[in-house]
Amino acid sequence: MGETNTVQTVVGIAASAGGLEAMSLMAHHLPTDLNCAYVLAQHMSSHHASMLQTLLSRETRLKVLTVEDKTPLEANAIYVPVPGSDLEVRDGMVHRCEPAGRPAEPKPSADRLFRSVAESFGEHSVGVVLSGTGSDGTYGVQAIQEVGGITIAQDASSAKYDTMPSSAVQSGFIDLVLSPRQIGEHLRQILARPRDFADLQVMIEQPTEYDDLFQMLQSHTKVDFRQYKETTVSRRIKRRMFVKGFDGYGDYVAFCKENTGELDALYRDLLISVTRFFRDPDQYEVLREELARYVAATDHRPIRVWVPGCASGEEPYSIAFILCDLLGIPASEAGRAIQIFATDLDTAALARGRAGLYPAAASTSIPEHLREKFTTQRDSQLRINPEVRKLVLFSQHDVIQDPPFSDIDLVSFRNALIYFESALQVKVMSRILYALRPDGLLFLGTSENVGKLDAYFTAVTDQAKLFRKTASKSFDRTSLVRFGIPQRRQRESSEARGPENESGVNGAMFETLAMSVAPTGFLVCEQKDLVRIFGDISAFTRVTDAVRGRLTTNTLKAELAQDAASLIPLCLKQKSARKGLWRVMEGAGFNRVRLRGYPIQTPTENDMRYVLVSIETQLVQHDARSPSEKDSNGQGAVYLAHVENELADAREALQITMEELQASNVELQSTNEEVQSANEELQSTNEELETTNEELQSTNEELITVNEELLINTDELNRLVVVQTAILESMLVPLLALDSRLNIKHASQPAIALFELTAHGADMGHISQASLPSPGFPNIVKLCSEVLAKRTIQTVDYEVDGAVHTLSAAPYFIRDTELTGLVVTIEGMN
């Protein structure tokens, strides 16, 4: 292995979007005395210069090296890639390699790095998968584990983007799931016990730093904050600690144990009950337009709205104003009912909403015509009018734990999802999905989305976070089982409506006529769905496990179902009444049954066709005479003619069925060819989309990494500006900083006073515009010009009031050769 004797263990690290932050935190806590080298495969753009080495060097005492070609492995060093290249470890060196994958794949490849580490160092190899999108590293950790190495993934709660570490965990080849800080702090222990992680697992399963507060809050308020985002919870707890004057977290916990009032205050802080009327006016304008269409399409049934997390009620009242304005309330209060359920956990906020009293300043965000119509202002208070206030029902309700409402037309759940972890978001969104009617509306905050349930929603517009529930999409209710919500029966579609409901037929007249023709029977459409039942047909039906959803002619007993299957298309094709065969069927008052069909066509645009089927019965007495006796009376000839007629009808029905079958076969063959052709096109399109998606994902990861580097660099620049300002303000000698055009960019306070300088936009003017302090002062413009020409320091001595002073001008460079400006100082002045 060459020089591998100096490096006992190599840690391969995979990182992508969000990985720079994770790697910086991990590097900050890495020990500096392990016989270990670290090789980082950080996805980055090949079109931008990397600052990775500089940024990591600020976070660790370990040596950080960029792999330009091939670099010998050294203990306690971190190796970072050059943009657009892969890294491999072999022969005791880190090699820079040309990318081996497709152009769209991320670079450098973590899988390739992990495989090379496994091959070179065997059981002394470690693979770490940090924050990122995609699945790079998933196959590589398998190679490391196969040779006896250790595999670690960043835990999802600490990862900005958890797709990459989650993919590695789901592969089943990860030994430990830790935060970057834990990896750095416990790496010595991990390497010391490569096959026994029991102690580390105990460490992982220890409660988080806020678990004791969460337990107290849950006992006191019945609300569990464990699935709220840790950053939000941490910020709110620290805020309460600052308010109460606590520096130590333990002291604050002890205080909360003794003071339930502080628990109540912390509880209210964590709920973040902050809102206002018509928050994001543009979003509400889109909501108003969509509600106008929705209300017009829902006839005269009540409009039901649910606002979970309503806080002090501004949001539900805003929606109430819109609905009242659309429906003409209060002028036509009796015309249309509105039910708005405003729910929250904060009882104090609910009480304020129930009272309908707000500071007068709250009225500024309400549109003027709605403010004048639905509110009154008195004694510096805004009061919601009683006719609006009675439409809103305020109630304490936990959207996470309590069962949801049902048959809701609009759910407004704004600016709450952003505080939940992803698993809790899915749980809450499942409840909201259940609550909505088909085609119901969901109104979210500007920075929120439906997330993993996007298959069940359609965006109404691109401008607003307003979504419509997809009525045709069946919802998997497994997530609702735990609180016992039954599956609701879907409403019948408009296609199942019978002709008695169509606009061209009087319902009462059709009912009377149908009952006279078919006192026992049913109305069936051409799809063989039972639309209407007349009389009692229970003696002619059977109900088995095969009957699911719609009622069709298959509900009839077997013999009648077969007759109905041929009789219905025969009636519709011939456009005349037809009768079926007599079937032997024992029942109360009959022993023979026959179906008779009457075709009906409604005069409507959709041209729906129906058949009214009458069930006829007979009670035939059995004749004990011999066949010869029957023939002697001519009964045989009559029976034979009857059988021949029925046979002719059967042949005709069979012919129609065969023709329909042939036509269906031709259509199916044509459809099959079209489907195959479409499938080939879709497959080709899918491959193109996959390639495009990979390219976009790779580009996105690269941009995220570049952005992280720029943010860190910007923060560093801000720090330098602060330091520079402090130096200039505290400097006691005159100093001027000029650019290459001799514009004064910066000056110390003595220089500003000496040359009487004032700011002119981005600078303090040209050096020639500076006011010279005395007639004998040297020609500062000439001196600076000489410095620019000769690129060396120039000095001039001059005398003022018997004292000798030195005027110096020194150039400064970028990259050692590029002259950027010069610094002018005056020595010898007090």
Side-chain angles (χ1 to χ4, degrees), residues 138 141-142 145 151 165-175:
T138 298
V141 293
Q142 180 177 351
Q145 197 176 77
T151 55
S166 296
S167 175
V169 171
Q170 291 168 8
S171 71
F173 296 102
I174 292 295
D175 295 315

Side-chain angles (χ1 to χ4, degrees), residues 559-622:
E559 305 92 319
L560 298 181
Q562 293 172 5
D563 278 357
S566 59
L567 181 66
I568 291 168
L570 191 62
C571 288
L572 292 174
K573 183 169 184 177
Q574 300 295 336
K575 297 183 180 179
S576 62
R578 304 302 294 256
K579 62 180 180 296
L581 304 176
W582 284 105
R583 301 289 183 180
V584 177
M585 187 180 297
E586 298 292 338
F590 64 88
N591 54 16
R592 294 209 302 171
V593 180
R594 178 175 69 179
L595 301 181
R596 186 186 295 270
Y598 304 91
I600 299 174
Q601 184 164 343
T602 60
T604 57
E605 294 181 1
N606 58 9
D607 198 29
M608 288 291 289
R609 299 192 298 169
Y610 301 89
V611 175
L612 178 62
V613 179
S614 173
I615 303 176
E616 300 176 353
T617 61
Q618 273 189 353
L619 180 60
V620 178
Q621 299 295 334
H622 295 288

Side-chain angles (χ1 to χ4, degrees), residues 778-795:
N779 189 334
I780 192 170
V781 177
K782 180 180 178 181
L783 181 67
C784 292
S785 300
E786 289 180 1
V787 171
L788 294 179
K790 297 179 180 179
R791 303 166 71 89
T792 59
I793 299 175
Q794 301 293 319
T795 60

